[in-house]
Amino acid sequence: MTLRFWQVLIFCLGWMGYASTYFLRKPLGVIKAELGSSLAFTTSQLGWLDTALLFPYAVMSIIFGNLGGKFGVRQVFGGAMMLSALSMVAFGQFSSFYALFFLLFLNGTAQSQCWPNCTKGLLSWFSDSTKNSMFGMFGTCCFGGGIIGTMLAVFLQAHYGWRGTYTIPSIFVFCAGIVIFMMFRTAEEVGITVPGKEVPKESTDSNTPLEKPSMWQLWKVPTVAEVAVAVFCLKVVRYCMYMWLPMYLLKALQYSQENAGVFSTIFEVGGVLGSALIGFVLDKYYKGQTIRGIALFCLISAGGLIAFIFTSHMGVVINCICLFIAGAFNSGPDILLCGTVPADLVQNHSKSVQIATIALVNGFGSIGACIEGPVVGVITEQFGWSGMFYFIVGLAIMGAVATYRAAYIYSKAKEQPHYASSDVKFSLEAK
């Protein structure tokens, strides 16, 4: 089998596999209003259900970030998908807040292992000169999966109520996990060398501390902390829109329940286009300055959110345009900052170190996603829906500032004469 065959196969498998994980994330945002009314949950309790899903996703990603390096990305990615599906298949059979909280916690724990292992497996198949373009295209899985997951949840809710929104998606994700477990292989496993790609060598010395760094050592890698903070801010914005936009459109802008679910996907539709195009733009116009280009896009996203605040009363068309812009320039940077950028920061290291760095950045960023639920719940109760949007605009601007700082540190680091060498000391020395 040729390199091109494997690239297409792994890209499609990874896209399908990771997109399907959103089938078990997005229903919560769609059913939130009905869940609150039918079970008499408060807004704060609904926010805590967001945390139940997203907190373990963040923390377990950091704690167990190297599982793929130990057991293989295929085994961990596929196994995590199957465990995620098993945790949610019976979600609709429970009415207790604590039972639902526990099931969402298990789901988040399992899904924490999907992104770093999917990312590392995919990146092993593409050259260094094309990885931003490829990964930008691949990043559409997050938003395509979110759109499909939302539409599926809207359909299932309309026909079966909130209790029927998880069963069919769980079955699909379990089957997809089996396929991933059997077929999602890295280039190293197949024994194919990818032209134009520097392949890091695994250390055979178990006493080499730099080949098995702690999370604190990785945090001290130049620009890792800044990138992680930027991802934190972007994910808060993104998940606020995921989890609360349908409810905002329903209650604040008086959309119907079905239209609120459907039109909330415009943010993700923008994410699909933004993720696909931003990678190409960076590879063509920002070679060697990827992070600086990402910072500009973050500022544009903040501008889209500000425009949405001041034009929300102007109707569906204007709402959709603003949400599309905000989604396109939030989601594309988020995907790259969680994927190719952290891998680049430790590109001369082993596969295990790269997976751990991706997991650290994505996990720290996901802490922002997991706290948005209770924080937004409190803000909306105290200051109304406008308070939520001012909050996420501020975070979008903070994310852009953190990314600009990362670009500055990265450019200074590249001026060091030993930067381009394979000496591992550069990437793991303290700033």
PDB file of all heavy atoms in Angstrom, residues 13 28 33 52 54 71 89 104 203 214 221 233 246 312 324 330 346 408:
ATOM      1  N   LEU A  13     -10.152   8.145   8.790  1.00  0.00           N
ATOM      2  CA  LEU A  13     -10.451   7.452  10.049  1.00  0.00           C
ATOM      3  C   LEU A  13     -10.394   8.421  11.226  1.00  0.00           C
ATOM      4  O   LEU A  13     -11.271   8.421  12.094  1.00  0.00           O
ATOM      5  CB  LEU A  13      -9.478   6.304  10.275  1.00  0.00           C
ATOM      6  CG  LEU A  13      -9.671   5.043   9.432  1.00  0.00           C
ATOM      7  CD1 LEU A  13      -8.527   4.059   9.707  1.00  0.00           C
ATOM      8  CD2 LEU A  13     -11.013   4.387   9.745  1.00  0.00           C
ATOM      9  N   LEU A  28     -25.893  17.850  25.290  1.00  0.00           N
ATOM     10  CA  LEU A  28     -26.123  18.524  26.562  1.00  0.00           C
ATOM     11  C   LEU A  28     -26.530  19.978  26.357  1.00  0.00           C
ATOM     12  O   LEU A  28     -27.434  20.481  27.026  1.00  0.00           O
ATOM     13  CB  LEU A  28     -24.873  18.441  27.441  1.00  0.00           C
ATOM     14  CG  LEU A  28     -24.997  19.045  28.839  1.00  0.00           C
ATOM     15  CD1 LEU A  28     -26.107  18.362  29.631  1.00  0.00           C
ATOM     16  CD2 LEU A  28     -23.663  18.938  29.583  1.00  0.00           C
ATOM     17  N   ALA A  33     -32.243  23.320  28.219  1.00  0.00           N
ATOM     18  CA  ALA A  33     -33.463  24.005  28.655  1.00  0.00           C
ATOM     19  C   ALA A  33     -34.543  23.006  29.066  1.00  0.00           C
ATOM     20  O   ALA A  33     -35.193  23.160  30.112  1.00  0.00           O
ATOM     21  CB  ALA A  33     -33.984  24.907  27.540  1.00  0.00           C
ATOM     22  N   ALA A  52     -19.145  18.680  34.858  1.00  0.00           N
ATOM     23  CA  ALA A  52     -19.019  17.229  35.009  1.00  0.00           C
ATOM     24  C   ALA A  52     -18.429  16.597  33.759  1.00  0.00           C
ATOM     25  O   ALA A  52     -17.666  15.630  33.831  1.00  0.00           O
ATOM     26  CB  ALA A  52     -20.386  16.609  35.302  1.00  0.00           C
ATOM     27  N   LEU A  54     -16.589  18.399  31.313  1.00  0.00           N
ATOM     28  CA  LEU A  54     -15.374  19.043  30.839  1.00  0.00           C
ATOM     29  C   LEU A  54     -14.227  19.046  31.846  1.00  0.00           C
ATOM     30  O   LEU A  54     -13.058  19.099  31.453  1.00  0.00           O
ATOM     31  CB  LEU A  54     -15.691  20.477  30.416  1.00  0.00           C
ATOM     32  CG  LEU A  54     -16.725  20.577  29.281  1.00  0.00           C
ATOM     33  CD1 LEU A  54     -17.129  22.029  29.057  1.00  0.00           C
ATOM     34  CD2 LEU A  54     -16.182  19.968  28.011  1.00  0.00           C
ATOM     35  N   PHE A  71       1.109   2.778  25.463  1.00  0.00           N
ATOM     36  CA  PHE A  71       0.297   1.670  24.962  1.00  0.00           C
ATOM     37  C   PHE A  71      -0.017   1.757  23.472  1.00  0.00           C
ATOM     38  O   PHE A  71      -0.580   0.820  22.913  1.00  0.00           O
ATOM     39  CB  PHE A  71      -1.023   1.596  25.747  1.00  0.00           C
ATOM     40  CG  PHE A  71      -0.831   1.402  27.218  1.00  0.00           C
ATOM     41  CD1 PHE A  71      -1.059   2.445  28.103  1.00  0.00           C
ATOM     42  CD2 PHE A  71      -0.404   0.189  27.729  1.00  0.00           C
ATOM     43  CE1 PHE A  71      -0.877   2.282  29.467  1.00  0.00           C
ATOM     44  CE2 PHE A  71      -0.219   0.008  29.089  1.00  0.00           C
ATOM     45  CZ  PHE A  71      -0.454   1.061  29.965  1.00  0.00           C
ATOM     46  N   VAL A  89     -24.672   5.488  27.054  1.00  0.00           N
ATOM     47  CA  VAL A  89     -25.754   4.776  26.375  1.00  0.00           C
ATOM     48  C   VAL A  89     -27.028   4.737  27.213  1.00  0.00           C
ATOM     49  O   VAL A  89     -28.146   4.709  26.687  1.00  0.00           O
ATOM     50  CB  VAL A  89     -25.291   3.358  25.966  1.00  0.00           C
ATOM     51  CG1 VAL A  89     -25.103   2.471  27.197  1.00  0.00           C
ATOM     52  CG2 VAL A  89     -26.267   2.725  24.983  1.00  0.00           C
ATOM     53  N   LEU A 104     -21.697  11.841  32.999  1.00  0.00           N
ATOM     54  CA  LEU A 104     -20.971  12.841  32.214  1.00  0.00           C
ATOM     55  C   LEU A 104     -19.496  12.888  32.613  1.00  0.00           C
ATOM     56  O   LEU A 104     -18.616  13.106  31.764  1.00  0.00           O
ATOM     57  CB  LEU A 104     -21.617  14.214  32.402  1.00  0.00           C
ATOM     58  CG  LEU A 104     -22.972  14.400  31.725  1.00  0.00           C
ATOM     59  CD1 LEU A 104     -23.669  15.658  32.243  1.00  0.00           C
ATOM     60  CD2 LEU A 104     -22.817  14.459  30.211  1.00  0.00           C
ATOM     61  N   SER A 203      14.242   7.591  23.022  1.00  0.00           N
ATOM     62  CA  SER A 203      15.401   7.305  23.853  1.00  0.00           C
ATOM     63  C   SER A 203      15.309   5.905  24.426  1.00  0.00           C
ATOM     64  O   SER A 203      14.263   5.441  24.837  1.00  0.00           O
ATOM     65  CB  SER A 203      15.477   8.320  25.002  1.00  0.00           C
ATOM     66  OG  SER A 203      16.490   7.978  25.890  1.00  0.00           O
ATOM     67  N   SER A 214       8.517  15.828  33.434  1.00  0.00           N
ATOM     68  CA  SER A 214       7.282  16.038  34.178  1.00  0.00           C
ATOM     69  C   SER A 214       6.469  17.121  33.489  1.00  0.00           C
ATOM     70  O   SER A 214       6.954  17.836  32.604  1.00  0.00           O
ATOM     71  CB  SER A 214       7.607  16.483  35.608  1.00  0.00           C
ATOM     72  OG  SER A 214       8.225  17.766  35.591  1.00  0.00           O
ATOM     73  N   VAL A 221       8.882  24.931  28.996  1.00  0.00           N
ATOM     74  CA  VAL A 221       9.354  25.058  27.619  1.00  0.00           C
ATOM     75  C   VAL A 221       8.980  26.440  27.100  1.00  0.00           C
ATOM     76  O   VAL A 221       7.842  26.886  27.300  1.00  0.00           O
ATOM     77  CB  VAL A 221       8.709  23.976  26.730  1.00  0.00           C
ATOM     78  CG1 VAL A 221       9.078  24.206  25.266  1.00  0.00           C
ATOM     79  CG2 VAL A 221       9.152  22.593  27.172  1.00  0.00           C
ATOM     80  N   CYS A 233      -8.278  30.558  27.032  1.00  0.00           N
ATOM     81  CA  CYS A 233      -9.227  31.630  26.726  1.00  0.00           C
ATOM     82  C   CYS A 233     -10.121  31.258  25.543  1.00  0.00           C
ATOM     83  O   CYS A 233     -11.337  31.470  25.577  1.00  0.00           O
ATOM     84  CB  CYS A 233      -8.465  32.917  26.420  1.00  0.00           C
ATOM     85  SG  CYS A 233      -7.543  33.590  27.830  1.00  0.00           S
ATOM     86  N   PRO A 246     -27.631  27.969  22.277  1.00  0.00           N
ATOM     87  CA  PRO A 246     -29.027  27.582  22.015  1.00  0.00           C
ATOM     88  C   PRO A 246     -30.003  28.163  23.034  1.00  0.00           C
ATOM     89  O   PRO A 246     -31.101  28.626  22.680  1.00  0.00           O
ATOM     90  CB  PRO A 246     -28.976  26.044  22.092  1.00  0.00           C
ATOM     91  CG  PRO A 246     -27.567  25.681  21.776  1.00  0.00           C
ATOM     92  CD  PRO A 246     -26.750  26.786  22.374  1.00  0.00           C
ATOM     93  N   SER A 312     -27.495  42.036  17.857  1.00  0.00           N
ATOM     94  CA  SER A 312     -28.305  40.837  18.093  1.00  0.00           C
ATOM     95  C   SER A 312     -29.790  41.078  17.865  1.00  0.00           C
ATOM     96  O   SER A 312     -30.536  40.141  17.556  1.00  0.00           O
ATOM     97  CB  SER A 312     -28.076  40.321  19.518  1.00  0.00           C
ATOM     98  OG  SER A 312     -28.442  41.300  20.476  1.00  0.00           O
ATOM     99  N   PHE A 324     -20.864  33.609  12.394  1.00  0.00           N
ATOM    100  CA  PHE A 324     -19.993  32.928  11.432  1.00  0.00           C
ATOM    101  C   PHE A 324     -18.562  33.459  11.537  1.00  0.00           C
ATOM    102  O   PHE A 324     -17.597  32.691  11.594  1.00  0.00           O
ATOM    103  CB  PHE A 324     -20.525  33.126  10.017  1.00  0.00           C
ATOM    104  CG  PHE A 324     -19.746  32.402   8.961  1.00  0.00           C
ATOM    105  CD1 PHE A 324     -20.078  31.106   8.611  1.00  0.00           C
ATOM    106  CD2 PHE A 324     -18.685  33.017   8.326  1.00  0.00           C
ATOM    107  CE1 PHE A 324     -19.351  30.431   7.637  1.00  0.00           C
ATOM    108  CE2 PHE A 324     -17.947  32.357   7.355  1.00  0.00           C
ATOM    109  CZ  PHE A 324     -18.288  31.056   7.000  1.00  0.00           C
ATOM    110  N   ASN A 330     -12.220  31.954  15.747  1.00  0.00           N
ATOM    111  CA  ASN A 330     -11.940  31.347  17.055  1.00  0.00           C
ATOM    112  C   ASN A 330     -11.514  29.904  16.883  1.00  0.00           C
ATOM    113  O   ASN A 330     -10.519  29.460  17.460  1.00  0.00           O
ATOM    114  CB  ASN A 330     -13.179  31.410  17.942  1.00  0.00           C
ATOM    115  CG  ASN A 330     -13.049  30.559  19.202  1.00  0.00           C
ATOM    116  OD1 ASN A 330     -13.266  29.342  19.172  1.00  0.00           O
ATOM    117  ND2 ASN A 330     -12.710  31.182  20.317  1.00  0.00           N
ATOM    118  N   VAL A 346       8.350  21.030  20.716  1.00  0.00           N
ATOM    119  CA  VAL A 346       9.229  19.930  21.163  1.00  0.00           C
ATOM    120  C   VAL A 346       9.486  18.979  19.987  1.00  0.00           C
ATOM    121  O   VAL A 346       9.548  17.771  20.149  1.00  0.00           O
ATOM    122  CB  VAL A 346       8.604  19.158  22.348  1.00  0.00           C
ATOM    123  CG1 VAL A 346       8.649  19.982  23.618  1.00  0.00           C
ATOM    124  CG2 VAL A 346       7.163  18.757  22.044  1.00  0.00           C
ATOM    125  N   TYR A 408       6.251  36.456  20.254  1.00  0.00           N
ATOM    126  CA  TYR A 408       7.445  37.240  20.579  1.00  0.00           C
ATOM    127  C   TYR A 408       8.532  36.351  21.201  1.00  0.00           C
ATOM    128  O   TYR A 408       9.696  36.397  20.801  1.00  0.00           O
ATOM    129  CB  TYR A 408       7.068  38.369  21.534  1.00  0.00           C
ATOM    130  CG  TYR A 408       8.252  39.155  22.049  1.00  0.00           C
ATOM    131  CD1 TYR A 408       8.866  40.115  21.258  1.00  0.00           C
ATOM    132  CD2 TYR A 408       8.754  38.920  23.335  1.00  0.00           C
ATOM    133  CE1 TYR A 408       9.960  40.828  21.723  1.00  0.00           C
ATOM    134  CE2 TYR A 408       9.839  39.625  23.811  1.00  0.00           C
ATOM    135  CZ  TYR A 408      10.445  40.581  23.000  1.00  0.00           C
ATOM    136  OH  TYR A 408      11.531  41.272  23.463  1.00  0.00           O
TER     137      TYR A 408
END
